[in-house]
Amino acid sequence: MGVHKPNIKLITEDGVRIDGRRPDQLRPVKMEVGLLKNADGSAYVEYGNTKILAAVYGPRDPGAKHMVLPNRAVLRCRYHMAPFSTHERKSPAPSRREIELSKVIREALEPAVLVENFPRTVIDIFIEVLNADGGTRTAGVTAASLALADAGIPMRDLVAGVAVGKVQGVLILDENEQEDMYGEADMPVAMMPSYREITLLQLNGVLTEEEFNRALEMAMEGIMKIYSIQKEALKKKYAEIEEA
Amino acid sequence: MILYKNKLLSTVLGVVEIRGEDEFKISPLEGSYIPQEGDLVIGVVEEINPTYVYLDIKAPYKGILQASEILGRPMNPSRDVLSEYVSVGDVYLARVERFDLLRDPLLTIRKEKGLGRITEGVLVEVNPTRIPRIIGRKNSMLEVLTTETGCDIIVATNGRILIRKCPTPDHEEILIRAIRVIESQPYLKGLTDKIKEYIAIEKVKRGLIIGSSQT
């Protein structure tokens, strides 16, 4: 992409990455559910320094009747980066990139939500990136699907996502911003883990066929781990009340 | 629920209750109210149209109440002005008469006694998924709530509870607190007994009954 590549080593010969992880290691993942009172469902997700807040409203009656469908609910999704989420202030106006990611994330969630149960309604999903450090779209999908579950919206499965990248010829799981920027490839993947069905797959950069297959495998392993953390987070909300 | 490769997957977050070998039930913990024919609902007038009004029934679909229902006779559009009979914010107790996903739920206030405009009482809003718990198995919880506090309670399926005719404001407050306790701990076992105890303790605290032991 003609990006200036600085002279930094993203991975050592014995496979240690710049933040000290092994190639197939996720960043510390943290999740919390139901923290926004006004929203029907909400979730907060951290993949290392990537921090995302998601809120879900609905199914609800839309203000404007022109956008509803007679046979299913309409999913509306807004992915947005807070002005303070990046090193340099980001204009709060939706950028071309954010509009595209909103669509990509919506399409990653749509197969999971039982939209046919709620005709003539809308389900609003808001994804707010509080701190961006690579992998915001996959963390966004993870957070949004948790928020949907917290809102009690029927779903075939949760959706979990993670990215796989390539730096200096080595495939790495869940790359951070530096690895994404100066690496050779970035492949975000999201899926419904119980069905092993992929709902989002993008690839930026070049991977050989072998590399691609290996990358997909690594992503699936990562997603399974994230999926179990998701389920834990949902249970925890009620466990906490039980103790009180 | 979805059957996938011999596994049943729940589509919502809820509590599973296993009732023997091949019977179980999932009670959802979150979710909005979806109307069903025959449901008792409490709605708030949101919009007045020439021949019908829209009620907010805490659902993704607005409830329709027709002018003839409000007037109790056929409506004459050339003479009757609906806004002379209803105002926005009026509260109605109604039953869902007809509903399918293609049309908004049609409500009735004429088909049985007790339905109609609500003019007094306190309205408590709860998560609609908690309603079965507030009523309890065979009305057990509702029974405890009414007999222990002496209040008149109407529980509407859409997550609104009307409290009327309480002996004292203290009783009313205890009842509301008890409902909040049920709402926050819906899956607890033996909740009915706990609520009974809770109400008794609250009564002692307020000096409504003389307690033998202060717990």
Side-chain angles (χ1 to χ4, degrees):
Chain A
M1 283 202 303
V3 181
H4 165 69
K5 284 186 184 165
N7 208 6
I8 50 164
K9 239 186 174 151
L10 290 171
I11 191 159
T12 65
E13 284 74 19
D14 38 346
V16 178
R17 290 154 68 175
I18 41 168
D19 53 6
R21 280 184 291 159
R22 319 278 332 163
D24 61 349
Q25 198 182 347
L26 290 169
R27 286 175 283 181
V29 179
K30 247 209 235 154
M31 293 183 200
E32 208 178 312
V33 157
L35 13 71
L36 302 179
K37 202 169 179 301
N38 286 354
D40 294 320
S42 56
Y44 171 75
V45 168
E46 268 184 38
Y47 286 9
N49 283 323
T50 290
K51 299 176 186 193
I52 313 261
L53 193 57
V56 165
Y57 293 80
R60 62 179 174 183
D61 184 53
K65 284 270 184 257
H66 64 268
M67 54 186 355
V68 298
L69 294 175
N71 59 337
R72 48 162 284 191
V74 171
L75 236 54
R76 293 193 293 201
C77 181
R78 185 184 96 135
Y79 163 96
H80 183 249
M81 291 175 96
F84 52 81
S85 65
T86 45
H87 291 290
E88 220 162 288
R89 188 188 113 99
K90 191 216 146 271
S91 159
S95 63
R96 187 202 59 78
R97 175 179 172 276
E98 284 167 295
I99 295 167
E100 179 187 321
L101 283 185
S102 301
K103 171 186 178 286
V104 167
I105 292 171
R106 190 191 75 226
E107 288 173 353
L109 296 167
E110 237 161 12
V113 180
L114 295 171
V115 284
E116 57 276 20
N117 283 13
F118 307 105
R120 300 181 294 119
T121 63
V122 293
I123 298 169
D124 284 314
I125 303 162
F126 298 95
I127 297 165
E128 195 70 21
V129 179
L130 303 180
N131 198 63
D133 187 24
T136 57
R137 79 192 66 187
T138 48
V141 169
T142 306
S145 88
L146 266 184
L148 282 164
D150 182 44
I153 294 169
M155 288 195 285
R156 274 172 258 273
D157 196 3
L158 290 169
V159 186
V162 76
V164 178
K166 186 169 85 167
V167 291
Q168 287 153 23
V170 184
L171 289 175
I172 52 164
L173 185 64
D174 189 21
E175 71 262 46
N176 62 27
E177 191 171 71
Q178 273 182 314
E179 292 171 324
D180 179 22
M181 252 162 67
Y182 305 118
E184 292 114 67
D186 170 31
M187 184 173 86
V189 184
M191 49 188 262
M192 295 192 273
S194 297
Y195 306 88
R196 297 186 79 77
E197 269 176 30
I198 293 168
T199 64
L200 178 149
L201 180 67
Q202 295 179 296
L203 174 57
N204 188 2
V206 182
L207 292 178
T208 65
E209 199 179 322
E210 277 152 59
E211 278 172 338
F212 173 81
N213 288 330
R214 174 73 195 118
L216 200 57
E217 230 169 84
M218 282 170 73
M220 282 185 181
E221 275 166 38
I223 284 170
M224 282 326 222
K225 282 179 197 151
I226 289 164
Y227 183 48
S228 60
I229 301 171
Q230 275 181 318
K231 288 198 281 193
E232 270 322 298
L234 283 173
K235 282 183 205 157
K236 213 180 124 208
K237 179 183 172 189
Y238 294 95
E240 268 174 8
I241 304 171
E242 201 157 24
E243 279 156 25
Chain B
M1 259 171 288
I2 293 176
L3 185 65
Y4 173 75
K5 286 187 184 165
N6 293 324
K7 273 199 288 189
L8 276 173
L9 302 175
S10 169
T11 58
V12 286
L13 176 66
V15 180
V16 186
E17 190 188 325
I18 294 159
R19 295 176 174 169
E21 281 291 297
D22 44 23
E23 201 190 329
F24 65 94
K25 189 185 154 196
I26 296 177
S27 319
L29 284 169
E30 305 288 345
S32 59
Y33 168 68
I34 300 298
Q36 276 183 329
E37 286 178 10
D39 279 356
L40 191 67
V41 295
I42 294 176
V44 182
V45 176
E46 203 175 63
E47 191 185 315
I48 302 170
N49 287 302
T51 59
Y52 61 92
V53 298
Y54 272 133
L55 300 187
D56 163 38
I57 52 168
K58 289 225 306 178
Y61 310 100
K62 284 177 189 162
I64 296 174
L65 194 58
Q66 255 152 4
S68 55
E69 290 276 335
I70 294 164
L71 300 172
R73 56 174 168 83
M75 193 226 178
N76 181 347
S78 61
R79 259 189 293 131
D80 296 322
V81 180
L82 204 49
S83 54
E84 286 172 6
Y85 300 92
V86 231
S87 5
V88 170
D90 281 359
V91 182
Y92 278 92
L93 180 68
R95 209 170 270 289
V96 179
E97 194 175 25
R98 243 185 24 226
F99 175 61
D100 55 57
L101 291 169
L102 296 172
R103 296 267 230 108
D104 283 331
L106 190 66
L107 309 177
T108 177
I109 53 170
R110 293 280 158 195
K111 297 274 153 71
E112 63 191 275
K113 256 191 148 179
L115 302 181
R117 208 173 102 197
I118 296 166
T119 51
E120 52 159 8
V122 177
L123 209 53
V124 180
E125 289 208 352
V126 297
N127 185 335
T129 57
R130 306 291 195 260
I131 291 295
R133 209 63 171 113
I134 288 165
I135 294 170
R137 220 174 266 172
K138 289 179 191 152
N139 282 345
S140 55
M141 183 70 87
L142 194 58
E143 208 116 294
V144 167
L145 292 177
T146 42
T147 51
E148 296 296 315
T149 64
C151 299
D152 187 11
I153 308 171
I154 295 173
V155 181
T157 329
N158 63 335
R160 288 198 176 115
I161 299 168
L162 179 70
I163 300 170
R164 288 191 291 204
K165 295 175 190 143
C166 282
T168 69
D170 273 340
H171 283 94
E172 188 177 283
E173 202 185 318
I174 294 170
L175 177 56
I176 294 170
R177 279 167 182 261
I179 290 171
R180 293 288 171 228
V181 172
I182 303 170
E183 193 186 13
S184 64
Q185 314 183 334
Y187 38 75
L188 275 192
K189 272 194 169 170
L191 189 57
T192 315
D193 292 331
K194 278 183 190 142
I195 291 299
K196 214 171 189 170
E197 198 185 309
Y198 177 84
I199 293 173
I201 292 170
E202 288 291 313
K203 273 184 181 168
V204 172
K205 270 191 205 161
R206 276 152 232 260
L208 295 174
I209 51 170
I210 298 139
S212 47
S213 63
Q214 201 100 20
T215 8

